[in-house]
Amino acid sequence: MKKYLLFLLFSFSAICFGQMYKTLDTADYIQRKEFAKNYTANNEILIKDLKTRYSGKAGSEVSKIYKELGADFETKVKNKDFVFNSVFDTKVKNLIERLRKNNAQIPQNLKILIAKNNTPNAYCFADGTFVINMGLFNWLNNDDQLASVISHELGHKITGHTLKAILNMINEDQMDKTVVQNIKSDKTNRSQRAFEVLKNRIYQKGAENRKQEMQADSLGYVVFKNSDFKKTEFINALKRLEDFDTISPKQLKVETYRKFFNLPKQEFQDKWLKKEDFSLYNYDHFDQKLSKDSLKSHPEVTLRINNLKKIFPELKTEVADEKASESYAVLGKIARMETLPNFYHSESYGVGIYASLQFLQDGEEENYYKGWLGRCFEKIYEARKNYKLNRYLDRVDPKNQSESYQQFLNFMWNLSLDEIKNIADYYQTKES
């Protein structure tokens, strides 16, 4: 959720076609059905191959895991989490072909999917299904930066990181069972010893994941530099991702609340802005049993950049981002307009309202974002009425949220059921 909020920071120019913009068509039943059918068949072939390659307990466990992963992914496909034959497909396929020209190790059977997800991320499955989140088109600045992220994921694919991680997990499970049996046989400090086993397992997994990320960076850059992309954009892409990880959300001004919630039939009330007082909470007494740094699956982006510069000296020279091509700029605008539809699809209604208000505060496409404001408020109303609001709206967390987002959450929780309904109705009528 935190990363969703950080996504709202980056400022783009106004989109001239916003007033007429229609969300991407997801009436792609035939394509989804065909993809799901092929994916299931390919996953079954993969599982049979794994059983042949790994006998005994390991073969049985790895096959079970891939079967569960496949079933979960099929559910996402059926849930319309991806768009088929979209305007983004051609661009991604073109970039992969450019990468493949001088990199024979890139698999030929890659199948591209565009996810209705606003986070700038990508991932690849063992069968060659390559998922690109729509957020990458919004967050990154040009073709080369997108190609660098694809190269990184190809690094994971080529080295078989996913399968290696699963096999390590299975092996560690077996070792842990032996340790657990020893703990059961000796009651001395049983709870503490069990916790140490769990902690060591979690830390070890985090360390292995961070190591794999570094490896994927290095191999990904080799793939990238062998192609016709500008080398320095590999580092520039990481810097963009670092911004996504670390910058606090842009401030939502109090005046914005007054402007958009002072309605003809419901005047704005100052009590809606009242904040919960957390000053009496003493966080110094909180005993953190697990180190956050050791839990991270990715190394700090600064470390990744420094590691690449150490291995590849040509990356030490920093150059400003290349200007986006016309085709990439168009896709970036479409991805930006899909921000609210994507939040709505993922049932992130609270964040959707926060995003709508930030777009409206910047004066972007008022009719479009007012419409989504109304839709999200309608869902919040239904959740509040059915005592399910916690599913769609965060609670205030002073240690992990910006002041702006805390203010927003206080505002939302301060609204009564009727007040929420009045806002939802207003922004879903023509008079808004």
Side-chain angles (χ1 to χ4, degrees):
M1 185 65 70
K2 179 181 178 182
K3 287 192 173 184
Y4 273 176
L5 300 179
L6 302 180
F7 172 83
L8 306 175
L9 285 168
F10 194 51
S11 177
F12 285 79
S13 59
I15 303 170
C16 61
F17 57 81
Q19 300 290 353
M20 302 177 291
Y21 183 76
K22 293 183 179 180
T23 57
L24 292 178
D25 184 13
T26 55
D28 45 24
Y29 173 76
I30 295 176
Q31 293 93 331
R32 278 188 288 117
K33 183 179 179 181
E34 185 66 20
F35 177 87
K37 178 182 177 181
N38 291 334
Y39 178 83
T40 300
N42 290 334
N43 201 47
E44 288 176 355
I45 293 173
L46 172 65
I47 290 171
K48 288 181 180 178
D49 178 60
L50 290 171
K51 286 183 177 178
T52 302
R53 291 164 57 189
Y54 303 97
S55 60
K57 187 71 173 178
S60 176
E61 287 296 318
V62 75
S63 299
K64 179 182 177 182
I65 291 172
Y66 270 97
K67 187 174 182 178
E68 292 173 350
L69 290 173
D72 180 64
F73 186 69
E74 289 173 31
T75 299
K76 291 181 179 180
V77 172
K78 293 176 182 177
N79 192 44
K80 298 183 179 181
D81 287 1
F82 310 97
V83 290
F84 292 83
N85 296 332
S86 72
V87 291
F88 302 98
D89 290 359
T90 301
K91 172 64 71 177
V92 175
K93 290 176 181 177
N94 175 264
L95 294 177
I96 290 178
E97 285 306 310
R98 287 171 63 183
L99 289 168
R100 186 180 279 126
K101 282 183 180 179
N102 297 316
N103 294 286
Q105 72 272 41
I106 296 178
Q108 294 289 330
N109 64 337
L110 297 178
K111 295 169 285 293
I112 310 303
L113 275 187
I114 306 299
K116 291 174 62 64
N117 190 313
N118 293 326
T119 56
N121 197 12
Y123 53 95
C124 190
F125 286 98
D127 76 317
T129 299
F130 210 113
V131 178
I132 307 291
N133 283 359
M134 211 175 289
L136 278 170
F137 291 89
N138 193 353
W139 193 256
L140 300 179
N141 290 333
N142 52 54
D143 292 341
D144 296 53
Q145 291 182 11
L146 180 58
S148 74
V149 173
I150 293 173
S151 298
H152 172 90
E153 294 307 319
L154 286 172
H156 283 302
K157 169 67 176 171
I158 293 168
T159 53
H161 278 160
T162 300
L163 178 58
K164 290 178 181 178
I166 290 174
L167 291 172
N168 285 338
M169 181 179 68
I170 293 171
N171 182 50
E172 289 165 358
D173 278 341
Q174 296 301 315
M175 292 189 294
D176 285 349
K177 286 180 181 179
T178 302
V179 175
V180 169
Q181 288 298 323
N182 292 334
I183 292 174
K184 286 182 177 180
S185 63
D186 183 357
K187 296 182 180 181
T188 307
N189 294 327
R190 180 183 290 178
S191 297
Q192 181 61 35
R193 289 160 61 205
F195 176 75
E196 288 299 320
V197 172
L198 174 63
K199 182 176 72 172
N200 291 336
R201 162 64 76 88
I202 294 174
Y203 284 0
Q204 185 175 351
K205 183 178 180 181
E208 182 61 31
N209 286 341
R210 293 192 295 274
K211 179 181 177 181
Q212 288 188 351
E213 289 302 315
M214 291 287 203
Q215 291 173 346
D217 279 342
S218 299
L219 181 54
Y221 176 68
V222 171
V223 169
F224 185 79
K225 77 172 185 175
N226 286 343
S227 307
D228 59 350
F229 298 102
K230 190 172 181 179
K231 297 180 179 63
T232 52
E233 288 302 303
F234 199 92
I235 294 295
N236 289 342
L238 284 172
K239 290 180 178 178
R240 292 296 303 132
L241 297 177
E242 183 178 32
D243 289 342
F244 184 83
D245 281 339
T246 60
I247 298 179
S248 299
K250 181 171 54 180
Q251 182 181 9
L252 196 60
K253 301 174 183 176
V254 171
E255 291 77 12
T256 301
Y257 293 96
R258 298 185 186 279
K259 178 179 179 179
F260 292 102
F261 298 116
N262 187 31
L263 310 182
K265 297 181 181 180
Q266 181 171 280
E267 291 185 1
F268 185 86
Q269 299 183 45
D270 288 333
K271 67 178 183 180
W272 292 342
L273 295 175
K274 185 178 179 181
K275 296 181 181 180
E276 186 174 354
D277 184 8
F278 286 90
S279 62
L280 297 179
Y281 291 85
N282 189 345
Y283 294 103
D284 293 336
H285 292 302
F286 175 71
D287 183 17
Q288 184 171 296
K289 293 183 177 295
L290 294 173
S291 166
K292 288 185 177 180
D293 290 337
S294 298
L295 292 173
K296 291 180 178 178
S297 61
H298 286 58
E300 293 292 341
V301 175
T302 302
L303 294 177
R304 294 170 64 183
I305 291 174
N306 290 338
N307 184 60
L308 284 168
K309 288 182 177 180
K310 181 179 179 180
I311 300 172
F312 307 101
E314 69 269 23
L315 293 177
K316 292 181 179 180
T317 302
E318 297 188 5
V319 180
D321 292 14
E322 289 284 297
K323 183 179 179 180
S325 64
E326 184 176 342
S327 60
Y328 189 91
V330 170
L331 294 177
K333 290 176 180 179
I334 293 173
R336 184 167 176 81
M337 297 301 286
E338 288 293 316
T339 300
L340 265 298
N342 290 347
F343 280 140
Y344 192 84
H345 173 76
S346 64
E347 299 185 342
S348 302
Y349 306 125
V351 179
I353 292 172
Y354 189 64
S356 296
L357 289 171
Q358 290 204 350
F359 287 131
L360 289 167
Q361 178 174 269
D362 291 342
E364 292 193 39
E365 313 302 342
E366 284 208 358
N367 289 340
Y368 182 74
Y369 290 113
K370 282 181 177 179
W372 284 107
L373 188 67
R375 292 185 192 184
C376 289
F377 258 103
E378 179 63 28
K379 289 296 185 179
I380 290 294
Y381 167 72
E382 293 174 5
R384 180 73 173 266
K385 184 173 63 174
N386 295 307
Y387 301 97
K388 296 180 179 179
L389 190 54
N390 278 314
R391 289 180 56 183
Y392 311 108
L393 187 67
D394 293 335
R395 283 290 185 178
V396 179
D397 181 2
K399 289 179 67 68
N400 298 302
Q401 295 167 345
S402 69
E403 288 289 335
S404 176
Y405 191 55
Q406 289 179 57
Q407 175 66 84
F408 166 73
L409 292 176
N410 277 288
F411 169 80
M412 292 296 296
W413 284 103
N414 287 337
L415 293 171
S416 69
L417 183 65
D418 288 340
E419 290 165 346
I420 293 172
K421 184 69 167 92
N422 289 337
I423 294 172
D425 289 346
Y426 176 78
Y427 281 109
Q428 292 188 100
T429 61
K430 291 183 179 179
E431 68 175 313
S432 66

